[in-house]
Amino acid sequence: MKTIILAGGQGTRLYPMTTVISKQLLPVYDKPMIYYPLSVPLLMGLRDILLISTPQALPLYQQLLGDGSRLGVNIQYAAQEKPQGLAQSLLIGESFAGGDEICLILGDNVFYGHNLTSVLADARSGLEGASIFGYPVKDPQSYGVVEFDAQNRVLSLEEKPEHPKSSYAVPGLYFYDNRAVEIAKHIRPSARGELEITAVNQEYLRQGQLKVTLFGRGIAWLDTGTPEGMLKASEYVEAVQSRQGFYISCIEEIAWRRGFIDSEQLCRLGQEAKSTDYGKYILSLVGGCV
C-alpha cells in the first residue's frame, strides 16, 4: 500500500497567504500541521509517500522533509496546479501508485487515539474495494456524510448536504484498492467544480464494495481547516502532551519505534532541534544521546 497526502492550496478559509505557503506548513501547537497526517502512514508501517501540494509550496515541503531518508522512508512530491478536489490527487498520483493499494489522507486532518493503530489495521485488513471511516459531528453539513440503516449498513453518501441524513461525517482518511484511479477518471466535477472524493466512494458503494468503520470515543479526529479548528487542535495537542508527557505525531519517534531508523539516527535528529522542547523530547527517548 502506498500513501498519498494532499496538502493542497485550499487554505483560503484561514487567510489568503495560505494559498501560497500552504496551510499545512503552519504550526499546530509545536509542530508543522503536515506532521499529523504524515504520522498516520508511519504508524501503519507504510514507507512510500507522495505529498501533493501547490507548485509554490512544494520547495518548502522539500526543504522541511527532504526525500524522507532521514526518517527511513521514501517521500516524493507532485504539484496540484489548481485545487480541484481531493479525488484529483488519485489522478496526479497514478504513476506513483503503480497499481498498488492506496492510503489517501487530507493534509489538514489530525487523528489521535490509544488504539488508532489497531483500528486502522483492522480497516485495511483484507481490503476489497474501499474502506473509509465515520465520525459523529455537530455540523455534518460541512462534510461528506454517511447514512446507515438499523444494522449499520451503508445506505448513502452525500457531500456537504443541506439536510444531512445522519450526524456521521467522513474524515479525510481513505483506503482504496487498485481500482481507485480508474474510478476517479470517470467521475464528473461537482457543482463546485471539483472532483469530489465522495463520488469515488459512491461508486464503490454502488458496487457493494464500501466498508465504513466508525471511530469510537477513544479516537479524536480534528479538522484544522479553519482558524477555530487550528486553535482547538493546538489546545488539544498541548493538553495531551502536557498531561501525559509524550508527544502526538512526533514523526521521528514513530520512525524510530517502527524500526525505520536506529537510536543513533534518532539522536542526530534530536540534536538538530535540541534548543526546542520538541528536540529535547526526542533526545529524552534514548539514553546516552550527546
Side-chain angles (χ1 to χ4, degrees), residues 1-8 24 33-44 46 48-52 86 89-90 102-111 120 133 171-176 197 221:
M1 177 174 280
K2 294 183 176 178
T3 301
I4 297 175
I5 300 176
L6 179 59
Q24 285 83 10
M33 187 190 301
I34 193 62
Y35 277 33
Y36 297 90
L38 181 57
S39 70
V40 174
L42 301 186
L43 285 169
M44 292 190 291
L46 304 179
D48 289 310
I49 299 162
L50 177 67
L51 194 153
I52 299 174
L86 183 51
S89 62
L90 294 171
I102 297 171
C103 171
L104 178 61
I105 308 175
L106 193 55
D108 60 1
N109 281 205
V110 177
F111 299 93
L120 298 180
F133 300 90
L173 173 60
Y174 317 85
F175 299 132
Y176 293 117
I197 200 65
W221 166 51

mmCIF file of all heavy atoms in Angstrom, residues 1-8 24 33-44 46 48-52 86 89-90 102-111 120 133 171-176 197 221:
data_model
loop_
_atom_site.group_PDB
_atom_site.id
_atom_site.type_symbol
_atom_site.label_atom_id
_atom_site.label_comp_id
_atom_site.label_asym_id
_atom_site.label_seq_id
_atom_site.Cartn_x
_atom_site.Cartn_y
_atom_site.Cartn_z
ATOM 1 N N MET A 1 0.844 -1.197 0.000
ATOM 2 C CA MET A 1 0.000 0.000 0.000
ATOM 3 C C MET A 1 0.875 1.242 0.000
ATOM 4 O O MET A 1 1.840 1.327 0.747
ATOM 5 C CB MET A 1 -0.936 0.002 1.210
ATOM 6 C CG MET A 1 -1.817 1.251 1.326
ATOM 7 S SD MET A 1 -3.030 1.159 2.670
ATOM 8 C CE MET A 1 -4.303 0.162 1.889
ATOM 9 N N LYS A 2 0.521 2.215 -0.865
ATOM 10 C CA LYS A 2 1.247 3.472 -0.926
ATOM 11 C C LYS A 2 0.349 4.604 -0.420
ATOM 12 O O LYS A 2 -0.869 4.511 -0.490
ATOM 13 C CB LYS A 2 1.716 3.748 -2.349
ATOM 14 C CG LYS A 2 2.764 2.740 -2.827
ATOM 15 C CD LYS A 2 3.276 3.061 -4.211
ATOM 16 C CE LYS A 2 4.378 2.091 -4.618
ATOM 17 N NZ LYS A 2 4.874 2.362 -5.994
ATOM 18 N N THR A 3 0.986 5.657 0.074
ATOM 19 C CA THR A 3 0.248 6.750 0.698
ATOM 20 C C THR A 3 0.323 8.005 -0.145
ATOM 21 O O THR A 3 1.399 8.395 -0.605
ATOM 22 C CB THR A 3 0.832 7.061 2.092
ATOM 23 O OG1 THR A 3 0.760 5.892 2.908
ATOM 24 C CG2 THR A 3 0.059 8.196 2.752
ATOM 25 N N ILE A 4 -0.817 8.643 -0.340
ATOM 26 C CA ILE A 4 -0.888 9.953 -0.985
ATOM 27 C C ILE A 4 -1.454 10.938 0.027
ATOM 28 O O ILE A 4 -2.521 10.720 0.595
ATOM 29 C CB ILE A 4 -1.787 9.925 -2.237
ATOM 30 C CG1 ILE A 4 -1.213 8.970 -3.296
ATOM 31 C CG2 ILE A 4 -1.953 11.329 -2.819
ATOM 32 C CD1 ILE A 4 -2.096 8.790 -4.512
ATOM 33 N N ILE A 5 -0.716 12.018 0.267
ATOM 34 C CA ILE A 5 -1.173 13.082 1.165
ATOM 35 C C ILE A 5 -1.419 14.327 0.328
ATOM 36 O O ILE A 5 -0.515 14.801 -0.358
ATOM 37 C CB ILE A 5 -0.137 13.393 2.262
ATOM 38 C CG1 ILE A 5 0.135 12.145 3.115
ATOM 39 C CG2 ILE A 5 -0.630 14.537 3.155
ATOM 40 C CD1 ILE A 5 1.227 12.353 4.165
ATOM 41 N N LEU A 6 -2.640 14.842 0.375
ATOM 42 C CA LEU A 6 -2.952 16.070 -0.344
ATOM 43 C C LEU A 6 -2.849 17.249 0.613
ATOM 44 O O LEU A 6 -3.699 17.451 1.469
ATOM 45 C CB LEU A 6 -4.348 16.027 -0.966
ATOM 46 C CG LEU A 6 -4.758 17.302 -1.717
ATOM 47 C CD1 LEU A 6 -3.789 17.607 -2.862
ATOM 48 C CD2 LEU A 6 -6.173 17.201 -2.233
ATOM 49 N N ALA A 7 -1.782 18.012 0.472
ATOM 50 C CA ALA A 7 -1.594 19.245 1.240
ATOM 51 C C ALA A 7 -1.780 20.397 0.266
ATOM 52 O O ALA A 7 -0.844 21.111 -0.063
ATOM 53 C CB ALA A 7 -0.217 19.273 1.882
ATOM 54 N N GLY A 8 -2.992 20.537 -0.214
ATOM 55 C CA GLY A 8 -3.249 21.422 -1.348
ATOM 56 C C GLY A 8 -3.435 22.873 -0.974
ATOM 57 O O GLY A 8 -3.317 23.277 0.174
ATOM 58 N N GLN A 24 -0.713 23.675 5.546
ATOM 59 C CA GLN A 24 -0.147 22.538 6.245
ATOM 60 C C GLN A 24 1.293 22.778 6.709
ATOM 61 O O GLN A 24 1.868 21.948 7.401
ATOM 62 C CB GLN A 24 -0.207 21.284 5.360
ATOM 63 C CG GLN A 24 -1.606 20.691 5.244
ATOM 64 C CD GLN A 24 -2.447 21.391 4.190
ATOM 65 O OE1 GLN A 24 -1.958 22.207 3.412
ATOM 66 N NE2 GLN A 24 -3.720 21.066 4.140
ATOM 67 N N MET A 33 1.722 21.457 10.731
ATOM 68 C CA MET A 33 0.490 20.696 10.560
ATOM 69 C C MET A 33 0.714 19.405 9.772
ATOM 70 O O MET A 33 0.097 18.368 10.053
ATOM 71 C CB MET A 33 -0.558 21.558 9.854
ATOM 72 C CG MET A 33 -1.933 20.938 9.758
ATOM 73 S SD MET A 33 -3.046 21.871 8.668
ATOM 74 C CE MET A 33 -3.067 23.463 9.465
ATOM 75 N N ILE A 34 1.611 19.434 8.788
ATOM 76 C CA ILE A 34 1.813 18.272 7.935
ATOM 77 C C ILE A 34 2.319 17.062 8.715
ATOM 78 O O ILE A 34 2.136 15.915 8.288
ATOM 79 C CB ILE A 34 2.788 18.623 6.779
ATOM 80 C CG1 ILE A 34 2.780 17.539 5.707
ATOM 81 C CG2 ILE A 34 4.199 18.858 7.308
ATOM 82 C CD1 ILE A 34 1.451 17.343 5.019
ATOM 83 N N TYR A 35 2.948 17.283 9.887
ATOM 84 C CA TYR A 35 3.429 16.148 10.677
ATOM 85 C C TYR A 35 2.283 15.228 11.105
ATOM 86 O O TYR A 35 2.489 14.022 11.257
ATOM 87 C CB TYR A 35 4.157 16.645 11.935
ATOM 88 C CG TYR A 35 5.596 17.040 11.728
ATOM 89 C CD1 TYR A 35 6.037 17.594 10.530
ATOM 90 C CD2 TYR A 35 6.533 16.878 12.749
ATOM 91 C CE1 TYR A 35 7.352 17.982 10.361
ATOM 92 C CE2 TYR A 35 7.862 17.263 12.588
ATOM 93 C CZ TYR A 35 8.264 17.813 11.383
ATOM 94 O OH TYR A 35 9.576 18.191 11.222
ATOM 95 N N TYR A 36 1.111 15.785 11.307
ATOM 96 C CA TYR A 36 -0.005 14.989 11.834
ATOM 97 C C TYR A 36 -0.513 13.966 10.811
ATOM 98 O O TYR A 36 -0.582 12.765 11.133
ATOM 99 C CB TYR A 36 -1.119 15.915 12.339
ATOM 100 C CG TYR A 36 -0.667 16.771 13.499
ATOM 101 C CD1 TYR A 36 -0.087 18.028 13.287
ATOM 102 C CD2 TYR A 36 -0.750 16.318 14.815
ATOM 103 C CE1 TYR A 36 0.364 18.806 14.347
ATOM 104 C CE2 TYR A 36 -0.305 17.088 15.882
ATOM 105 C CZ TYR A 36 0.262 18.335 15.641
ATOM 106 O OH TYR A 36 0.725 19.100 16.699
ATOM 107 N N PRO A 37 -0.849 14.362 9.583
ATOM 108 C CA PRO A 37 -1.229 13.340 8.609
ATOM 109 C C PRO A 37 -0.058 12.443 8.225
ATOM 110 O O PRO A 37 -0.254 11.246 7.952
ATOM 111 C CB PRO A 37 -1.739 14.146 7.409
ATOM 112 C CG PRO A 37 -1.135 15.497 7.560
ATOM 113 C CD PRO A 37 -1.046 15.733 9.041
ATOM 114 N N LEU A 38 1.164 12.989 8.227
ATOM 115 C CA LEU A 38 2.329 12.176 7.883
ATOM 116 C C LEU A 38 2.555 11.061 8.903
ATOM 117 O O LEU A 38 3.066 9.986 8.573
ATOM 118 C CB LEU A 38 3.570 13.064 7.784
ATOM 119 C CG LEU A 38 4.897 12.396 7.408
ATOM 120 C CD1 LEU A 38 4.778 11.655 6.078
ATOM 121 C CD2 LEU A 38 6.014 13.431 7.349
ATOM 122 N N SER A 39 2.157 11.298 10.144
ATOM 123 C CA SER A 39 2.356 10.271 11.172
ATOM 124 C C SER A 39 1.489 9.042 10.945
ATOM 125 O O SER A 39 1.827 7.949 11.404
ATOM 126 C CB SER A 39 2.068 10.858 12.566
ATOM 127 O OG SER A 39 0.681 11.113 12.749
ATOM 128 N N VAL A 40 0.376 9.211 10.215
ATOM 129 C CA VAL A 40 -0.557 8.088 10.032
ATOM 130 C C VAL A 40 0.071 6.947 9.237
ATOM 131 O O VAL A 40 0.050 5.793 9.693
ATOM 132 C CB VAL A 40 -1.868 8.580 9.393
ATOM 133 C CG1 VAL A 40 -2.779 7.400 9.062
ATOM 134 C CG2 VAL A 40 -2.583 9.542 10.334
ATOM 135 N N PRO A 41 0.616 7.184 8.039
ATOM 136 C CA PRO A 41 1.251 6.054 7.346
ATOM 137 C C PRO A 41 2.446 5.493 8.111
ATOM 138 O O PRO A 41 2.686 4.271 8.062
ATOM 139 C CB PRO A 41 1.686 6.657 5.995
ATOM 140 C CG PRO A 41 1.731 8.128 6.207
ATOM 141 C CD PRO A 41 0.654 8.407 7.204
ATOM 142 N N LEU A 42 3.187 6.337 8.824
ATOM 143 C CA LEU A 42 4.311 5.824 9.601
ATOM 144 C C LEU A 42 3.825 4.857 10.675
ATOM 145 O O LEU A 42 4.433 3.803 10.902
ATOM 146 C CB LEU A 42 5.090 6.975 10.239
ATOM 147 C CG LEU A 42 5.691 8.022 9.305
ATOM 148 C CD1 LEU A 42 6.555 9.006 10.097
ATOM 149 C CD2 LEU A 42 6.488 7.393 8.196
ATOM 150 N N LEU A 43 2.723 5.208 11.340
ATOM 151 C CA LEU A 43 2.162 4.317 12.352
ATOM 152 C C LEU A 43 1.763 2.969 11.762
ATOM 153 O O LEU A 43 1.854 1.936 12.422
ATOM 154 C CB LEU A 43 0.942 4.969 13.016
ATOM 155 C CG LEU A 43 1.205 6.083 14.023
ATOM 156 C CD1 LEU A 43 -0.094 6.801 14.368
ATOM 157 C CD2 LEU A 43 1.875 5.542 15.278
ATOM 158 N N MET A 44 1.321 2.986 10.504
ATOM 159 C CA MET A 44 0.889 1.746 9.845
ATOM 160 C C MET A 44 2.048 1.004 9.192
ATOM 161 O O MET A 44 1.844 -0.047 8.585
ATOM 162 C CB MET A 44 -0.186 2.056 8.810
ATOM 163 C CG MET A 44 -1.494 2.533 9.392
ATOM 164 S SD MET A 44 -2.805 2.615 8.151
ATOM 165 C CE MET A 44 -2.221 3.981 7.141
ATOM 166 N N LEU A 46 3.838 2.146 6.640
ATOM 167 C CA LEU A 46 3.884 2.455 5.208
ATOM 168 C C LEU A 46 5.021 3.439 4.956
ATOM 169 O O LEU A 46 5.106 4.483 5.586
ATOM 170 C CB LEU A 46 2.554 3.045 4.748
ATOM 171 C CG LEU A 46 1.306 2.192 5.020
ATOM 172 C CD1 LEU A 46 0.052 2.905 4.523
ATOM 173 C CD2 LEU A 46 1.439 0.820 4.376
ATOM 174 N N ASP A 48 6.253 4.392 1.560
ATOM 175 C CA ASP A 48 6.251 5.082 0.270
ATOM 176 C C ASP A 48 5.147 6.129 0.278
ATOM 177 O O ASP A 48 3.953 5.784 0.327
ATOM 178 C CB ASP A 48 6.024 4.099 -0.882
ATOM 179 C CG ASP A 48 7.230 3.204 -1.105
ATOM 180 O OD1 ASP A 48 8.348 3.745 -1.203
ATOM 181 O OD2 ASP A 48 7.059 1.972 -1.172
ATOM 182 N N ILE A 49 5.541 7.401 0.194
ATOM 183 C CA ILE A 49 4.613 8.512 0.397
ATOM 184 C C ILE A 49 4.763 9.524 -0.723
ATOM 185 O O ILE A 49 5.881 9.903 -1.087
ATOM 186 C CB ILE A 49 4.885 9.198 1.750
ATOM 187 C CG1 ILE A 49 4.693 8.193 2.904
ATOM 188 C CG2 ILE A 49 3.985 10.418 1.951
ATOM 189 C CD1 ILE A 49 5.333 8.615 4.206
ATOM 190 N N LEU A 50 3.629 9.959 -1.258
ATOM 191 C CA LEU A 50 3.599 11.043 -2.238
ATOM 192 C C LEU A 50 2.899 12.230 -1.603
ATOM 193 O O LEU A 50 1.744 12.122 -1.182
ATOM 194 C CB LEU A 50 2.850 10.623 -3.504
ATOM 195 C CG LEU A 50 2.685 11.717 -4.574
ATOM 196 C CD1 LEU A 50 4.032 12.103 -5.178
ATOM 197 C CD2 LEU A 50 1.707 11.266 -5.670
ATOM 198 N N LEU A 51 3.575 13.364 -1.544
ATOM 199 C CA LEU A 51 2.988 14.580 -0.993
ATOM 200 C C LEU A 51 2.646 15.506 -2.149
ATOM 201 O O LEU A 51 3.513 15.880 -2.939
ATOM 202 C CB LEU A 51 3.950 15.253 -0.018
ATOM 203 C CG LEU A 51 3.349 16.328 0.881
ATOM 204 C CD1 LEU A 51 4.134 16.442 2.182
ATOM 205 C CD2 LEU A 51 3.319 17.693 0.199
ATOM 206 N N ILE A 52 1.375 15.868 -2.252
ATOM 207 C CA ILE A 52 0.883 16.729 -3.330
ATOM 208 C C ILE A 52 0.534 18.088 -2.760
ATOM 209 O O ILE A 52 -0.173 18.195 -1.756
ATOM 210 C CB ILE A 52 -0.365 16.114 -4.000
ATOM 211 C CG1 ILE A 52 -0.022 14.753 -4.611
ATOM 212 C CG2 ILE A 52 -0.919 17.054 -5.064
ATOM 213 C CD1 ILE A 52 -1.234 14.020 -5.161
ATOM 214 N N LEU A 86 -10.230 16.559 -3.808
ATOM 215 C CA LEU A 86 -9.393 15.515 -3.234
ATOM 216 C C LEU A 86 -9.217 14.345 -4.197
ATOM 217 O O LEU A 86 -8.141 13.739 -4.266
ATOM 218 C CB LEU A 86 -9.997 15.037 -1.914
ATOM 219 C CG LEU A 86 -9.245 13.980 -1.108
ATOM 220 C CD1 LEU A 86 -7.796 14.377 -0.904
ATOM 221 C CD2 LEU A 86 -9.930 13.757 0.231
ATOM 222 N N SER A 89 -6.219 14.075 -6.565
ATOM 223 C CA SER A 89 -4.927 13.565 -6.106
ATOM 224 C C SER A 89 -4.708 12.125 -6.561
ATOM 225 O O SER A 89 -3.557 11.698 -6.740
ATOM 226 C CB SER A 89 -4.824 13.669 -4.590
ATOM 227 O OG SER A 89 -5.816 12.882 -3.956
ATOM 228 N N LEU A 90 -5.784 11.362 -6.743
ATOM 229 C CA LEU A 90 -5.650 9.998 -7.255
ATOM 230 C C LEU A 90 -5.124 10.010 -8.687
ATOM 231 O O LEU A 90 -4.327 9.147 -9.075
ATOM 232 C CB LEU A 90 -6.992 9.270 -7.187
ATOM 233 C CG LEU A 90 -7.545 9.012 -5.786
ATOM 234 C CD1 LEU A 90 -8.973 8.480 -5.868
ATOM 235 C CD2 LEU A 90 -6.659 8.040 -5.018
ATOM 236 N N ILE A 102 -4.010 2.075 -2.135
ATOM 237 C CA ILE A 102 -3.706 3.468 -1.817
ATOM 238 C C ILE A 102 -4.304 3.844 -0.468
ATOM 239 O O ILE A 102 -5.473 3.558 -0.185
ATOM 240 C CB ILE A 102 -4.259 4.418 -2.893
ATOM 241 C CG1 ILE A 102 -3.585 4.157 -4.238
ATOM 242 C CG2 ILE A 102 -4.076 5.888 -2.486
ATOM 243 C CD1 ILE A 102 -4.234 4.902 -5.392
ATOM 244 N N CYS A 103 -3.491 4.498 0.346
ATOM 245 C CA CYS A 103 -3.975 5.198 1.535
ATOM 246 C C CYS A 103 -3.966 6.682 1.188
ATOM 247 O O CYS A 103 -2.902 7.244 0.916
ATOM 248 C CB CYS A 103 -3.061 4.916 2.724
ATOM 249 S SG CYS A 103 -3.410 5.931 4.185
ATOM 250 N N LEU A 104 -5.125 7.305 1.180
ATOM 251 C CA LEU A 104 -5.258 8.715 0.817
ATOM 252 C C LEU A 104 -5.608 9.516 2.067
ATOM 253 O O LEU A 104 -6.539 9.167 2.800
ATOM 254 C CB LEU A 104 -6.351 8.884 -0.239
ATOM 255 C CG LEU A 104 -6.669 10.301 -0.705
ATOM 256 C CD1 LEU A 104 -5.448 10.952 -1.344
ATOM 257 C CD2 LEU A 104 -7.844 10.292 -1.685
ATOM 258 N N ILE A 105 -4.850 10.591 2.301
ATOM 259 C CA ILE A 105 -5.033 11.385 3.514
ATOM 260 C C ILE A 105 -5.106 12.858 3.156
ATOM 261 O O ILE A 105 -4.306 13.358 2.363
ATOM 262 C CB ILE A 105 -3.872 11.178 4.509
ATOM 263 C CG1 ILE A 105 -3.642 9.691 4.788
ATOM 264 C CG2 ILE A 105 -4.139 11.913 5.822
ATOM 265 C CD1 ILE A 105 -2.429 9.421 5.662
ATOM 266 N N LEU A 106 -6.056 13.559 3.755
ATOM 267 C CA LEU A 106 -6.148 15.005 3.594
ATOM 268 C C LEU A 106 -5.160 15.663 4.566
ATOM 269 O O LEU A 106 -5.103 15.314 5.747
ATOM 270 C CB LEU A 106 -7.566 15.478 3.873
ATOM 271 C CG LEU A 106 -7.929 16.908 3.466
ATOM 272 C CD1 LEU A 106 -7.650 17.153 1.993
ATOM 273 C CD2 LEU A 106 -9.396 17.182 3.771
ATOM 274 N N GLY A 107 -4.408 16.628 4.064
ATOM 275 C CA GLY A 107 -3.275 17.160 4.806
ATOM 276 C C GLY A 107 -3.586 18.021 6.007
ATOM 277 O O GLY A 107 -2.673 18.400 6.741
ATOM 278 N N ASP A 108 -4.868 18.365 6.243
ATOM 279 C CA ASP A 108 -5.174 19.200 7.409
ATOM 280 C C ASP A 108 -6.016 18.452 8.443
ATOM 281 O O ASP A 108 -6.697 19.059 9.252
ATOM 282 C CB ASP A 108 -5.880 20.488 6.986
ATOM 283 C CG ASP A 108 -7.199 20.241 6.262
ATOM 284 O OD1 ASP A 108 -7.584 19.061 6.093
ATOM 285 O OD2 ASP A 108 -7.836 21.225 5.848
ATOM 286 N N ASN A 109 -5.927 17.122 8.427
ATOM 287 C CA ASN A 109 -6.650 16.312 9.404
ATOM 288 C C ASN A 109 -5.699 15.766 10.464
ATOM 289 O O ASN A 109 -4.570 15.368 10.151
ATOM 290 C CB ASN A 109 -7.353 15.146 8.714
ATOM 291 C CG ASN A 109 -8.658 15.542 8.037
ATOM 292 O OD1 ASN A 109 -9.540 14.713 7.851
ATOM 293 N ND2 ASN A 109 -8.799 16.788 7.643
ATOM 294 N N VAL A 110 -6.158 15.750 11.716
ATOM 295 C CA VAL A 110 -5.394 15.216 12.839
ATOM 296 C C VAL A 110 -6.148 14.015 13.392
ATOM 297 O O VAL A 110 -7.346 14.106 13.696
ATOM 298 C CB VAL A 110 -5.208 16.274 13.950
ATOM 299 C CG1 VAL A 110 -4.480 15.667 15.150
ATOM 300 C CG2 VAL A 110 -4.466 17.492 13.420
ATOM 301 N N PHE A 111 -5.443 12.890 13.520
ATOM 302 C CA PHE A 111 -6.022 11.676 14.092
ATOM 303 C C PHE A 111 -5.187 11.255 15.290
ATOM 304 O O PHE A 111 -3.951 11.235 15.226
ATOM 305 C CB PHE A 111 -6.041 10.537 13.069
ATOM 306 C CG PHE A 111 -6.858 10.826 11.839
ATOM 307 C CD1 PHE A 111 -6.254 11.365 10.708
ATOM 308 C CD2 PHE A 111 -8.218 10.567 11.810
ATOM 309 C CE1 PHE A 111 -6.990 11.640 9.567
ATOM 310 C CE2 PHE A 111 -8.963 10.844 10.675
ATOM 311 C CZ PHE A 111 -8.354 11.387 9.553
ATOM 312 N N LEU A 120 -6.904 1.225 12.451
ATOM 313 C CA LEU A 120 -6.502 1.387 11.059
ATOM 314 C C LEU A 120 -6.108 0.047 10.444
ATOM 315 O O LEU A 120 -6.428 -0.237 9.282
ATOM 316 C CB LEU A 120 -5.338 2.378 10.956
ATOM 317 C CG LEU A 120 -5.626 3.812 11.423
ATOM 318 C CD1 LEU A 120 -4.381 4.676 11.258
ATOM 319 C CD2 LEU A 120 -6.793 4.409 10.661
ATOM 320 N N PHE A 133 -14.127 5.871 6.967
ATOM 321 C CA PHE A 133 -14.470 5.970 8.375
ATOM 322 C C PHE A 133 -15.645 6.922 8.576
ATOM 323 O O PHE A 133 -15.940 7.767 7.731
ATOM 324 C CB PHE A 133 -13.252 6.451 9.174
ATOM 325 C CG PHE A 133 -12.080 5.528 9.065
ATOM 326 C CD1 PHE A 133 -11.145 5.702 8.060
ATOM 327 C CD2 PHE A 133 -11.930 4.477 9.947
ATOM 328 C CE1 PHE A 133 -10.064 4.836 7.933
ATOM 329 C CE2 PHE A 133 -10.856 3.611 9.834
ATOM 330 C CZ PHE A 133 -9.923 3.785 8.825
ATOM 331 N N PRO A 171 -14.184 11.381 7.734
ATOM 332 C CA PRO A 171 -12.886 12.063 7.867
ATOM 333 C C PRO A 171 -12.022 11.879 6.625
ATOM 334 O O PRO A 171 -12.272 10.988 5.796
ATOM 335 C CB PRO A 171 -12.247 11.364 9.082
ATOM 336 C CG PRO A 171 -13.388 10.707 9.793
ATOM 337 C CD PRO A 171 -14.357 10.320 8.728
ATOM 338 N N GLY A 172 -10.988 12.710 6.533
ATOM 339 C CA GLY A 172 -10.126 12.691 5.359
ATOM 340 C C GLY A 172 -9.068 11.612 5.388
ATOM 341 O O GLY A 172 -7.865 11.885 5.273
ATOM 342 N N LEU A 173 -9.494 10.365 5.524
ATOM 343 C CA LEU A 173 -8.594 9.215 5.531
ATOM 344 C C LEU A 173 -9.315 8.060 4.843
ATOM 345 O O LEU A 173 -10.397 7.650 5.275
ATOM 346 C CB LEU A 173 -8.216 8.850 6.968
ATOM 347 C CG LEU A 173 -7.408 7.575 7.179
ATOM 348 C CD1 LEU A 173 -6.077 7.639 6.445
ATOM 349 C CD2 LEU A 173 -7.182 7.317 8.675
ATOM 350 N N TYR A 174 -8.698 7.523 3.772
ATOM 351 C CA TYR A 174 -9.378 6.542 2.929
ATOM 352 C C TYR A 174 -8.388 5.463 2.499
ATOM 353 O O TYR A 174 -7.238 5.757 2.180
ATOM 354 C CB TYR A 174 -9.944 7.206 1.665
ATOM 355 C CG TYR A 174 -10.622 8.540 1.906
ATOM 356 C CD1 TYR A 174 -9.869 9.715 1.946
ATOM 357 C CD2 TYR A 174 -11.996 8.631 2.080
ATOM 358 C CE1 TYR A 174 -10.479 10.947 2.166
ATOM 359 C CE2 TYR A 174 -12.612 9.853 2.295
ATOM 360 C CZ TYR A 174 -11.848 11.016 2.339
ATOM 361 O OH TYR A 174 -12.442 12.231 2.551
ATOM 362 N N PHE A 175 -8.880 4.216 2.458
ATOM 363 C CA PHE A 175 -8.105 3.110 1.911
ATOM 364 C C PHE A 175 -8.796 2.616 0.639
ATOM 365 O O PHE A 175 -10.009 2.353 0.658
ATOM 366 C CB PHE A 175 -7.996 1.956 2.907
ATOM 367 C CG PHE A 175 -7.311 2.319 4.194
ATOM 368 C CD1 PHE A 175 -7.871 1.982 5.419
ATOM 369 C CD2 PHE A 175 -6.090 2.982 4.190
ATOM 370 C CE1 PHE A 175 -7.246 2.306 6.609
ATOM 371 C CE2 PHE A 175 -5.452 3.319 5.379
ATOM 372 C CZ PHE A 175 -6.023 2.972 6.590
ATOM 373 N N TYR A 176 -8.015 2.456 -0.435
ATOM 374 C CA TYR A 176 -8.588 2.028 -1.709
ATOM 375 C C TYR A 176 -7.790 0.880 -2.312
ATOM 376 O O TYR A 176 -6.554 0.830 -2.165
ATOM 377 C CB TYR A 176 -8.589 3.185 -2.712
ATOM 378 C CG TYR A 176 -9.505 4.325 -2.345
ATOM 379 C CD1 TYR A 176 -8.981 5.583 -2.081
ATOM 380 C CD2 TYR A 176 -10.882 4.158 -2.264
ATOM 381 C CE1 TYR A 176 -9.813 6.646 -1.749
ATOM 382 C CE2 TYR A 176 -11.714 5.202 -1.918
ATOM 383 C CZ TYR A 176 -11.180 6.450 -1.662
ATOM 384 O OH TYR A 176 -12.003 7.496 -1.328
ATOM 385 N N ILE A 197 -14.189 13.389 -3.633
ATOM 386 C CA ILE A 197 -13.858 12.043 -3.199
ATOM 387 C C ILE A 197 -15.126 11.273 -2.832
ATOM 388 O O ILE A 197 -15.170 10.038 -2.922
ATOM 389 C CB ILE A 197 -12.871 12.085 -2.005
ATOM 390 C CG1 ILE A 197 -12.142 10.748 -1.875
ATOM 391 C CG2 ILE A 197 -13.569 12.471 -0.716
ATOM 392 C CD1 ILE A 197 -11.241 10.411 -3.036
ATOM 393 N N TRP A 221 -10.670 12.942 16.054
ATOM 394 C CA TRP A 221 -10.437 13.442 14.700
ATOM 395 C C TRP A 221 -10.660 14.951 14.734
ATOM 396 O O TRP A 221 -11.716 15.427 15.149
ATOM 397 C CB TRP A 221 -11.390 12.801 13.695
ATOM 398 C CG TRP A 221 -11.403 13.517 12.370
ATOM 399 C CD1 TRP A 221 -10.321 13.860 11.610
ATOM 400 C CD2 TRP A 221 -12.551 13.993 11.661
ATOM 401 N NE1 TRP A 221 -10.716 14.511 10.459
ATOM 402 C CE2 TRP A 221 -12.086 14.608 10.465
ATOM 403 C CE3 TRP A 221 -13.923 13.956 11.905
ATOM 404 C CZ2 TRP A 221 -12.953 15.187 9.534
ATOM 405 C CZ3 TRP A 221 -14.778 14.527 10.976
ATOM 406 C CH2 TRP A 221 -14.286 15.131 9.808
#
